[in-house]
Amino acid sequence: MAYDYIATETQDAVAVITLNRPKALNALCAGLIAELGEALKGFDADPGIGCILITGSEKAFAAGADIKEMKDKTYQEVEAEDFITGDWEILATVRTPTVAAVSGFALGGGCEVAMMADMIVASDTAQFGQPEITIGTIPGSGGTQRLTRAVGKSLAMYMCLTGEFIDAETALRAGLVAKVVPAAELMEEALRIARKIAGMSRPVTRVCKEAVKVALETTLAEGVRFERRTFHATFAFDDRKEGMEAFAAKRKPVWTHR
Ligand code: CAA
């Protein structure tokens, strides 16, 4: 599949999507978002794919929604097209585990897209920010919501109200990213993690991801109940039986993804 704004490849059971609009620091124009959505839906439906890795360039994961594209839009237009909904949310809804490998700028919509992934692995050059306030607007794709859940009120308020960026180490301390590695090692480490996830039983990674996501949407008692019932449900998978039998027999499990 030939794309204008992204590149895709598969490495065994890992799909890699690279945002590829270097002249605009991967600003998320409508065309890029549409292509990203199409690629995500395709890989999510592919039974051979066990993890989707999304990355940008060394300089920018993505510098946000395309400001030049949206600057002349009216309220009536954004309301009518439900701007920044549709394709933007696909990453948050795919069932296959997703990893964002972030180097350089992850700003505005770029930070929001990274936060829609299941985890962020950052290079030590990564900078995260919600600078919408500096252009007279506010985050529109989860920046006030996912960021606040990830880092807490005070840091989210600081980032959204000043527009200042935080570096990778601050993001790590705050819980926004899972891991920080030297820039030169980012893809190697992100791919290692993605391959590891893709090497698990696919239906089990899907329900595991679903259970973790429930934690952000519900009460503790409801979440634990969902987890317990989902744990019970894994006993219907052939791979649950295989995993435990393999452990007892001191051998590696052979998943059938059933
Ligand atoms: N939209 C459109 N074009 C962008 C862009 C964006 N978000 N970010 C960068 N670009 C373009 C620049 O206009 C420039 O294009 P030209 O060469 O044609 O002038 C090119 O990318 C390179 O950018 P800079 O010359 O500005 O590079 P820099 O290294 O000096 O600065 C930067 C980098 C700090 C990231 C700066 O580009 C910047 O501040 N970008 C905007 C960041 C921002 O405000 N993002 C939020 C957007 S709103 C949003 O995302 C809403 C939402 O919640 C969904």
Side-chain angles (χ1 to χ4, degrees), residues 129-147:
Q130 297 292 159
E132 290 88 345
I133 197 91
T134 66
I135 56 166
T137 186
I138 72 165
S141 198
T144 64
Q145 302 303 303
R146 290 193 183 92
L147 182 66

Side-chain angles (χ1 to χ4, degrees), residues 23-24 27 59 63 65-68 70 84 107 109 112 131-132 139-140:
K23 285 191 181 139
K59 181 159 186 203
D66 190 317
I67 300 167
K68 293 167 192 166
M70 71 180 154
I84 308 206
L107 306 177
E112 291 168 310
E132 290 88 345

Side-chain angles (χ1 to χ4, degrees), residues 64-257:
D66 190 317
I67 300 167
K68 293 167 192 166
E69 197 179 70
M70 71 180 154
K71 74 179 179 31
D72 295 325
K73 284 183 187 285
T74 63
Y75 170 77
Q76 284 76 9
E77 285 166 354
V78 295
E79 189 278 332
E81 69 176 271
D82 206 4
F83 183 50
I84 308 206
T85 315
D87 292 345
W88 278 82
E89 292 290 327
I90 291 170
L91 177 55
T93 60
V94 294
R95 297 178 72 210
T96 308
T98 56
V99 176
V102 173
S103 181
F105 298 115
L107 306 177
C111 186
E112 291 168 310
V113 166
M115 289 190 293
M116 285 179 209
D118 295 326
M119 70 192 79
I120 300 174
V121 181
S123 87
D124 53 7
T125 64
Q127 295 192 71
F128 298 87
Q130 297 292 159
E132 290 88 345
I133 197 91
T134 66
I135 56 166
T137 186
I138 72 165
S141 198
T144 64
Q145 302 303 303
R146 290 193 183 92
L147 182 66
T148 308
R149 282 165 173 75
V151 306
K153 186 185 90 169
S154 192
L155 187 54
M157 284 285 192
Y158 158 72
M159 290 171 70
C160 291
L161 289 174
T162 68
E164 289 183 9
F165 309 159
I166 60 168
D167 62 17
E169 280 305 324
T170 306
L172 181 67
R173 275 200 311 277
L176 181 61
V177 310
K179 200 161 184 178
V180 177
V181 294
E185 292 163 28
L186 176 66
M187 282 312 283
E188 188 187 327
E189 179 59 6
L191 272 165
R192 185 193 68 77
I193 294 167
R195 275 200 199 97
K196 188 147 197 182
I197 295 167
M200 305 295 175
S201 165
R202 299 219 175 104
V204 181
T205 59
R206 279 198 294 270
V207 296
C208 182
K209 159 175 175 160
E210 193 176 1
V212 175
K213 285 177 77 177
V214 165
L216 296 174
E217 307 280 355
T218 193
T219 64
L220 180 59
E222 278 303 310
V224 170
R225 209 165 69 87
F226 180 88
E227 178 194 83
R228 188 75 31 80
R229 293 295 169 237
T230 307
F231 164 69
H232 292 162
T234 64
F235 283 67
F237 292 135
D238 297 346
D239 284 343
R240 192 284 314 166
K241 192 163 184 287
E242 166 64 9
M244 293 187 185
E245 280 179 3
F247 175 82
K250 299 188 188 299
R251 62 172 174 82
K252 281 196 162 169
V254 180
W255 308 126
T256 54
H257 305 293

